[in-house]
Amino acid sequence: MCENWDDDAPVVATVIPSFRRPGNNDEVWSGNTSNNDRPYYQRSKQYSRGRGNFRGNSREGRSDRRNGRAGDKCEELRVKCSFVGKIIGRAGAKIQELQSESGASIQVTQESNGETTLVKIFGNDSTISKAKELIEELTTDSIKIVHAKDLPQETVEKKQPILDWAKFMQECDEAEAAEWAKYPPIRKQFYKEHPEVMKMSESQVEKFREENNNIVVDRTFKTENSAPIPKPCPKFVHAFHEYPEILREIEKAGFETPSPIQAQAWPVLLSGEDLIGIAQTGTGKTLAFLLPAMIHLEGQNVSREDRGGPAVLIMAPTRELALQIDKEIKKYQYRGINSVCVYGGGNRKEQVAAVTRGVDIIIATPGRLNDFHESGIVNVKTVTYVVLDEADRMLDMGFEPQIRKVMYCIRPTRQTVMTSATWPLGVRRLAQSYMKDPIQVYVGSLDLAATHTVTQVIQVMEDNEDVKMDAVMEFVRNLGPDQKVIIFCGKKARADNLSTEFALSGIQCQAIHGDRDQCDREQALVDIANGTVQILVATDVASRGLDIDDITHVLNFDFPRNIEEYVHRVGRTGRAGKLGESISYFTRADWAQARELIKILEEADQFVPEEIYQMADRFDEMKKRKENDRARGGGSRGGRGGSSFGGMGRRW
């Protein structure tokens, strides 16, 4: 201990972990180390202070710097551990600066009681005074300097008060409610049941639902006192008899009857309920939420001019899907409602200009929306109707943090719609977080299934690119003049290689994947849609959201990594009630997908090659053997327990 302890020495009454010098557990960190004593990252420099240079590597020099020079006084401070780091600084830079300015030697010791750490200052009266003054200035904004004799022991040992989280959350909720109370109330009820629907008996309703792809409707999270679920609307006029302008737009589009998801979703959404719509791709989910969104937007108490921001927000996982939704909105002219599509890869300046001019509906990918929201370009507090389209895909792509960040800033009384092709746990969690007593409408089954208007052909072949290339070349050369195909590849490089091979063979095609410029991606979609080319080579960026009615074939050059993507790829054809065909090249490398593929094919009453059954059985056997090996503690056994099909030493 110091011989010159002064009871009036100031104590900084506040913790950070204690610091040791690397390589010596008994020494303290003072910042004044010899070149060899310093951490390795400081040895290249020579440090000096006002009282002379460091003394090289001598033991005497090290002792002098740790304990001060002979005749130096010593004063001690007790510093709250949370401020030790500020005194030391990064790599000891701050403590060296303090020593240089004051001329004193400052040492942070290992003596800590969990709340405070002991700091020693060596020097004469003036240097010690200067060092204490500098330390006080460094911590004066947040701490108070007291004297050692005035600091009771119980003060040091006193614990922080326990935070009352229940009270804190209550105050937070009250503040949030007060903030949202400044905004006008939301109108949600726009539905008046048509007399013909009103006359439908329960048995007629059940019969209609069963005959229309087995529509199943229920409250997702069972609660008491929930309102009755609206009956379906078999005709367009049943849903929109109060909105003749909407009916005229539907007539222009040439639709005859609502799709199953539309028939049940429209009365639910027009009644102001939150909705979860689960249906296969190409079943009309987009129109199911768009038309009620337009009616909701126009029916609010505040005029569009006075609102100060968009009323409808639609989030989509990919640029292509976002652009497709925007295209659908522009097909239906209703009272001058305008929309803007914002997405990464597009011209940001143009998108900002379009938003700032005034917009009613924003369609956005989560990343670009988050960018605009944090930049203050988009004011989501005016949003009253939210759609999370293809929610399962957005979660698969890792967009959940961006979604949650934006949803937190939208008023909690909004109307929320979520669409999905599947119903995984992540989508349920999202629904539980952001929806209020939602009604779930699913068409067909919650089990994964491919559309039944597509003939699914599985071609089992060698895992050899030349073999695949010969097969795809033969296929495209036999395409009829009115046929179009999307060829899916597993990698961007494969898509580029395949499109290059087509071009070198004199076959016109377009390619689309994540590395292509946005203008090229958009041009590729235009060319396949208007018939400029018959072939579109794509990665899974095109497996959802492409709504091109006359795609006759889908060809999986590479089988997808999961069965969900297979279902979505197949859904790019056979749309709007038309027939289509999908062809998939299946190799030994794809055997892990065989069992799930069998389920999809059998559900749609499609032919399953015998080799697929064999692959599924052998993959199951391999998994069982690996589980048995792990249970015995033996791990995997060489080639038989390997991850590749060939490692089993068996031919399929």
Side-chain angles (χ1 to χ4, degrees):
M1 293 296 293
C2 299
E3 299 175 359
N4 300 305
W5 169 256
D6 182 358
D7 284 342
D8 289 332
V11 178
V12 184
T14 302
V15 186
I16 265 181
S18 52
F19 287 75
R20 297 177 183 268
R21 237 182 30 225
N24 191 335
N25 291 334
D26 297 322
E27 296 185 14
V28 295
W29 180 278
S30 69
N32 272 349
T33 56
S34 67
N35 210 34
N36 286 342
D37 277 342
R38 293 185 210 123
Y40 70 92
Y41 47 81
Q42 292 182 353
R43 290 176 189 164
S44 61
K45 296 182 180 180
Q46 291 291 329
Y47 294 85
S48 62
R49 20 191 278 319
R51 294 188 298 167
N53 295 330
F54 290 137
R55 290 177 173 78
N57 299 326
S58 69
R59 182 178 300 275
E60 293 78 13
R62 290 197 297 273
S63 175
D64 176 65
R65 285 185 297 282
R66 284 197 298 273
N67 302 313
R69 292 182 173 181
D72 276 355
K73 291 185 177 181
C74 171
E75 290 198 17
E76 295 184 352
L77 304 178
R78 295 208 68 87
V79 182
K80 275 192 177 180
C81 298
S82 56
F83 286 97
V84 171
K86 294 184 70 174
I87 295 172
I88 294 174
R90 181 172 296 182
K94 191 63 183 178
I95 199 170
Q96 292 172 26
E97 180 185 327
L98 294 173
Q99 291 177 137
S100 178
E101 287 189 39
S102 66
S105 177
I106 303 172
Q107 299 172 355
V108 179
T109 74
Q110 296 299 306
E111 297 181 30
S112 173
N113 58 17
E115 292 289 337
T116 61
T117 297
L118 181 66
V119 176
K120 296 180 179 180
I121 304 177
F122 296 94
N124 55 39
D125 290 339
S126 63
T127 57
I128 290 175
S129 176
K130 180 63 174 176
K132 290 196 294 186
E133 181 183 341
L134 292 173
I135 292 174
E136 182 177 357
E137 289 177 1
L138 188 63
T139 57
T140 189
D141 292 339
S142 348
I143 59 176
K144 181 181 178 182
I145 305 289
V146 297
H147 288 91
K149 66 180 183 179
D150 299 326
L151 186 64
Q153 184 63 26
E154 58 266 22
T155 302
V156 176
E157 298 174 355
K158 186 178 179 181
K159 295 183 178 180
Q160 292 289 334
I162 298 174
L163 184 62
D164 187 346
W165 282 104
K167 181 180 179 182
F168 175 76
M169 294 303 294
Q170 181 182 356
E171 292 174 353
C172 182
D173 291 341
E174 290 172 357
E176 186 179 10
E179 175 65 23
W180 289 119
K182 301 174 185 177
Y183 291 81
I186 302 174
R187 284 192 62 202
K188 296 183 181 179
Q189 176 57 256
F190 301 98
Y191 183 60
K192 184 176 180 181
E193 197 171 50
H194 192 277
E196 292 180 7
V197 176
M198 199 179 298
K199 292 177 183 178
M200 291 175 68
S201 65
E202 285 301 319
S203 60
Q204 289 175 316
V205 168
E206 290 303 317
K207 183 180 179 182
F208 174 83
R209 288 172 177 164
E210 185 177 348
E211 291 176 349
N212 284 267
N213 290 357
N214 191 30
I215 303 171
V216 179
V217 191
D218 201 0
R219 295 277 176 181
T220 309
F221 311 112
K222 304 294 184 181
T223 57
E224 296 181 1
N225 303 320
S226 295
I229 295 173
K231 299 175 183 178
C233 295
K235 300 177 182 177
F236 291 117
V237 69
H238 292 161
F240 303 110
H241 61 99
E242 295 280 309
Y243 308 97
E245 295 169 75
I246 293 285
L247 284 174
R248 283 196 293 272
E249 293 299 317
I250 293 173
E251 289 173 7
K252 288 180 188 176
F255 297 122
E256 295 180 0
T257 56
S259 70
I261 186 73
Q262 292 167 355
Q264 186 61 70
W266 281 335
V268 170
L269 290 175
L270 290 172
S271 298
E273 299 273 7
D274 285 3
L275 173 77
I276 300 170
I278 302 175
Q280 299 167 0
T281 57
T283 53
K285 286 183 289 186
T286 303
L287 203 61
F289 63 72
L290 274 186
L291 298 184
M294 293 180 177
I295 293 170
H296 171 100
L297 189 153
E298 183 61 21
Q300 296 308 305
N301 297 318
V302 180
S303 67
R304 304 208 308 262
E305 294 77 16
D306 298 333
R307 190 174 49 240
V312 176
L313 170 63
I314 303 171
M315 280 187 264
T318 65
R319 308 171 194 176
E320 282 69 31
L321 181 54
L323 289 166
Q324 183 62 44
I325 296 169
D326 190 40
K327 182 180 175 183
E328 282 294 306
I329 293 174
K330 289 176 169 54
K331 285 182 184 177
Y332 302 93
Q333 300 300 318
Y334 183 63
R335 302 192 179 183
I337 290 174
N338 67 329
S339 64
V340 169
C341 186
V342 298
Y343 51 89
N347 188 306
R348 190 178 189 277
K349 187 175 181 181
E350 291 179 2
Q351 292 175 7
V352 170
V355 171
T356 53
R357 281 196 298 268
V359 60
D360 300 313
I361 302 175
I362 284 189
I363 310 101
T365 53
R368 180 53 59 93
L369 175 64
N370 205 49
D371 170 22
F372 278 21
H373 171 241
E374 291 184 343
S375 303
I377 298 165
V378 173
N379 178 18
V380 297
K381 290 189 175 182
T382 62
V383 171
T384 56
Y385 187 102
V386 180
V387 179
L388 303 177
D389 197 19
E390 299 282 10
D392 53 344
R393 176 66 167 164
M394 285 197 284
L395 295 185
D396 288 343
M397 295 173 71
F399 285 131
E400 185 170 356
Q402 289 92 334
I403 293 171
R404 289 188 177 275
K405 192 176 292 186
V406 172
M407 291 294 286
Y408 178 77
C409 298
I410 302 174
R411 66 171 79 184
T413 54
R414 65 186 174 262
Q415 186 173 2
T416 309
V417 185
M418 185 183 294
T419 75
S420 181
T422 57
W423 186 231
L425 183 61
V427 176
R428 298 181 202 183
R429 186 178 65 248
L430 208 61
Q432 201 160 16
S433 299
Y434 297 112
M435 305 186 84
K436 183 178 179 181
D437 196 17
I439 293 176
Q440 183 171 293
V441 178
Y442 58 91
V443 178
S445 170
L446 280 178
D447 296 328
L448 198 62
T451 176
H452 289 197
T453 58
V454 177
T455 301
Q456 301 175 59
V457 178
I458 308 298
Q459 295 184 6
V460 182
M461 59 179 60
E462 294 180 34
D463 189 9
N464 184 298
E465 189 157 346
D466 291 337
V467 174
K468 285 185 177 182
M469 189 64 71
D470 291 341
V472 77
M473 283 294 185
E474 182 180 357
F475 171 81
V476 298
R477 288 193 176 107
N478 291 323
L479 274 179
D482 297 327
Q483 294 178 326
K484 295 180 182 179
V485 61
I486 300 177
I487 302 176
F488 283 103
C489 300
K491 297 180 180 179
K492 293 175 276 192
R494 178 71 57 81
D496 283 336
N497 292 341
L498 192 56
S499 59
T500 300
E501 287 294 329
F502 287 150
L504 292 174
S505 301
I507 301 170
Q508 285 192 322
C509 71
Q510 272 283 18
I512 179 172
H513 56 70
D515 281 352
R516 296 207 74 192
D517 291 339
Q518 185 61 31
C519 59
D520 293 332
R521 292 168 67 165
E522 293 176 15
Q523 187 60 50
L525 297 181
V526 170
D527 288 348
I528 189 71
N530 64 22
T532 302
V533 297
Q534 293 179 263
I535 304 168
L536 178 66
V537 183
T539 57
D540 279 329
V541 73
S543 66
R544 305 192 190 200
L546 290 191
D547 189 12
I548 303 172
D549 292 341
D550 55 352
I551 296 294
T552 57
H553 292 78
V554 164
L555 191 147
N556 290 314
F557 188 87
D558 297 315
F559 199 82
R561 287 171 293 182
N562 59 70
I563 207 66
E564 287 84 2
E565 286 307 319
Y566 171 80
V567 170
H568 286 291
R569 288 183 182 184
V570 170
R572 295 311 98 201
T573 185
R575 299 179 71 83
K578 297 179 182 178
L579 300 178
E581 183 179 16
S582 77
I583 301 167
S584 302
Y585 298 159
F586 201 91
T587 72
R588 292 185 296 183
D590 306 314
W591 70 325
Q593 308 295 334
R595 184 64 65 192
E596 293 297 324
L597 177 60
I598 291 170
K599 294 179 183 177
I600 299 296
L601 295 174
E602 289 181 341
E603 190 278 334
D605 198 24
Q606 302 290 311
F607 173 73
V608 183
E610 183 62 29
E611 296 95 329
I612 302 297
Y613 286 113
Q614 294 173 7
M615 287 189 191
D617 291 341
R618 288 168 181 164
F619 183 77
D620 291 344
E621 290 172 7
M622 182 273 291
K623 288 200 300 182
K624 195 174 297 184
R625 281 197 301 271
K626 290 181 73 174
E627 289 171 2
N628 291 337
D629 286 345
R630 282 195 293 268
R632 291 194 298 267
S636 57
R637 297 181 298 163
R640 295 180 66 85
S643 60
S644 68
F645 188 84
M648 291 185 61
R650 302 172 63 174
R651 293 183 58 83
W652 50 269

